[in-house]
Amino acid sequence: MRAKKIIDLFYSKMEVFDKKIKKGRKAIVFNLIAPFLIFGLFGSLSAALPGCSEKNEKVELDFWNVYDDSDILNPLIQEFRKEYPNVSINYYKKTPAGYETELVNALAAGRGPDVFAIHNTWLPKHIDKLQPMTDKNLMTLQSFRDSFVDVVYNDFVAAPPSSGSGQTSSEQIYGVALFVDTLALYWNKSILNSAGIAEPPGNWHEFSDAVEKLTKRDEEKNITLAGAAIGGSKNINRATDILALLMMQTGAKMTDNERNQASFDESVSAGDQNYQPGADSLRFYTDFSNPSKKVYTWNEKMHYSIDAFVEGKAAMMINYAYHINTIRAKDPHLQFGVAPVPQPKDAKNLISFANYWGLGVSAASTAAEKKYAWIFLN
């Protein structure tokens, strides 16, 4: 029943990656604002683009974003306006909760933004609302691939809906990213040091050994200290992402070639043997909440994973870098570290799971708004 609950939850959230296959991630956080500026577009674009020197065209852009305060983006906006004084940009910070619904409704009503944040999982369902970058003077597919980690190319480069699948020659750029956040391993330094563990585990074999060593129980076999917050569903933040990570690392093919259907439950051939990476990963994950297993460390009675980690009731946790501030706000004195997420032992390709926001341009904007919106994003 425990496995069924988790896989049901996993299926319910397959929208996160049902339309795409994620490749290996190359870092915990990539700040890519600097590479944008390296292109020197602010200084030389007017000479390179036909019509861009005509700056008597008054254009007003509405820019919707999440998380970032205006003081982060305003310097870039002001720098852009020095080069294009005819373009004004109105920046609006939106609350992530309900943002997608607000955005879709606004675009449908003709009052949507010209530039807006789009989650890295949204392109398949919202591609018709986005204007691709069509001017090769701004950025080519090759320069885009060279400028971003692989996952950004996979998430924001696609063929237009009308061109069908598999036509790589018609692929276009639908969004850019300022950063990429991936799953990482949080570890309580004091707890691991007390257990004689000097470094956080680097592979899942070491992780399992550490969990077994760190987990503590009282006389009634109740867990008083979890080796890690893993194995559950509702009380584990990002449980489905962790499970997807395990599947990908084990070799599961997450979707079919057309990216239309989930395929993580299918068998995979390795040499002369077949195995089921999806089922194997699910079994590995749920073992941490199975009382009959040596790695048993979690159950549904435990506190929510983030709270358990902050309270010192879980020695390790897998989550994204943006929760560093969440943890520090809850306990500024907690001594913890953040390390790369564990990999399979002797893995040649390091794989993590990304969660981030990109920026795109509305297909409903006017031609002038689209042109300057993409110039601004670049």
Side-chain angles (χ1 to χ4, degrees):
M1 290 299 292
R2 178 171 57 258
K4 184 178 185 301
K5 287 174 62 180
I6 294 173
I7 201 64
D8 286 346
L9 177 64
F10 184 67
Y11 263 111
S12 72
K13 297 190 177 180
M14 270 303 296
E15 185 177 287
V16 174
F17 49 85
D18 190 38
K19 296 289 185 178
K20 56 193 174 64
I21 302 173
K22 292 186 171 62
K23 295 184 180 178
R25 281 53 166 151
K26 295 183 179 176
I28 294 176
V29 177
F30 284 82
N31 189 328
L32 296 175
I33 294 178
F36 293 162
L37 301 182
I38 290 174
F39 279 96
L41 293 170
F42 292 141
S44 61
L45 199 54
S46 59
L49 294 177
C52 283
S53 59
E54 300 176 3
K55 296 178 181 178
N56 57 349
E57 183 181 24
K58 298 295 182 182
V59 176
E60 183 175 351
L61 302 177
D62 285 345
F63 180 4
W64 287 16
N65 199 12
V66 294
Y67 294 110
D68 292 329
D69 293 325
S70 59
D71 58 351
I72 296 177
L73 275 300
N74 275 341
L76 295 178
I77 293 174
Q78 295 305 316
E79 193 69 22
F80 175 79
R81 292 213 63 204
K82 291 179 182 178
E83 182 70 18
Y84 299 95
N86 61 310
V87 182
S88 60
I89 300 177
N90 307 312
Y91 182 77
Y92 302 93
K93 178 185 176 182
K94 296 293 181 176
T95 303
Y99 167 73
E100 184 178 12
T101 300
E102 181 183 3
L103 175 65
V104 170
N105 291 340
L107 291 172
R111 50 180 175 78
D114 305 291
V115 179
F116 57 87
I118 174 173
H119 194 262
N120 71 297
T121 61
W122 288 1
L123 183 61
K125 60 179 175 178
H126 293 313
I127 192 171
D128 60 327
K129 303 175 183 66
L130 290 161
Q131 170 65 31
M133 182 194 302
T134 56
D135 195 327
K136 298 301 186 292
N137 288 309
L138 289 177
M139 186 180 289
T140 64
L141 286 175
Q142 186 58 50
S143 62
F144 188 93
R145 187 186 291 275
D146 293 341
S147 301
F148 295 93
V149 291
D150 292 344
V151 66
V152 179
Y153 190 98
N154 298 336
D155 289 340
F156 289 120
V157 173
S162 59
S163 67
S165 61
Q167 300 182 22
T168 56
S169 60
S170 66
E171 286 185 336
Q172 293 180 309
I173 300 166
Y174 283 89
V176 295
L178 299 181
F179 70 95
V180 173
D181 194 1
T182 64
L183 285 175
L185 178 67
Y186 285 75
W187 53 291
N188 185 305
K189 294 182 177 181
S190 299
I191 295 177
L192 266 68
N193 286 339
S194 298
I197 302 175
E199 299 290 339
N203 60 59
W204 290 111
H205 180 77
E206 295 174 351
F207 180 87
S208 297
D209 287 346
V211 165
E212 188 176 347
K213 187 175 183 179
L214 290 165
T215 302
K216 296 186 183 301
R217 300 176 180 84
D218 60 20
E219 295 179 355
E220 298 178 354
K221 304 299 182 181
N222 296 312
I223 298 172
T224 58
L225 172 63
I230 188 172
S233 53
K234 292 183 179 180
N235 60 347
I236 296 289
N237 185 260
R238 298 295 183 173
T240 55
D241 292 13
I242 300 170
L243 181 54
L245 165 70
L246 290 167
M247 291 182 178
M248 288 161 46
Q249 289 181 340
T250 311
K253 186 177 180 181
M254 303 308 290
T255 71
D256 59 16
N257 292 332
E258 289 73 32
R259 303 183 184 183
N260 292 325
Q261 184 174 341
S263 58
F264 59 86
D265 57 341
E266 296 179 358
S267 298
V268 174
S269 297
D272 58 351
Q273 293 184 336
N274 290 337
Y275 69 103
Q276 293 182 304
D280 293 342
S281 298
L282 176 62
R283 189 179 304 109
F284 176 83
Y285 182 84
T286 55
D287 277 353
F288 292 102
S289 58
N290 187 339
S292 66
K293 300 296 183 178
K294 292 193 300 182
V295 293
Y296 173 56
T297 192
W298 196 261
N299 57 54
E300 298 295 331
K301 296 180 180 179
M302 308 289 289
H303 285 186
Y304 194 59
S305 59
I306 296 176
D307 295 325
F309 183 77
V310 172
E311 295 164 356
K313 295 180 179 179
M316 296 182 289
M317 174 185 73
I318 296 172
N319 220 309
Y320 295 103
Y322 73 85
H323 275 306
I324 290 175
N325 292 333
T326 304
I327 294 169
R328 286 176 176 164
K330 290 177 176 288
D331 185 353
H333 305 293
L334 184 67
Q335 297 297 310
F336 68 95
V338 183
V341 73
Q343 301 287 328
K345 190 176 182 180
D346 301 323
K348 295 181 180 179
N349 298 317
L350 305 184
I351 297 176
S352 190
F353 192 92
N355 175 49
Y356 64 100
W357 292 83
L359 296 172
V361 174
S362 172
S365 298
T366 66
E369 291 166 346
K370 293 174 183 176
K371 179 181 73 173
Y372 285 105
W374 267 119
I375 294 173
F376 168 67
L377 286 186
N378 277 274

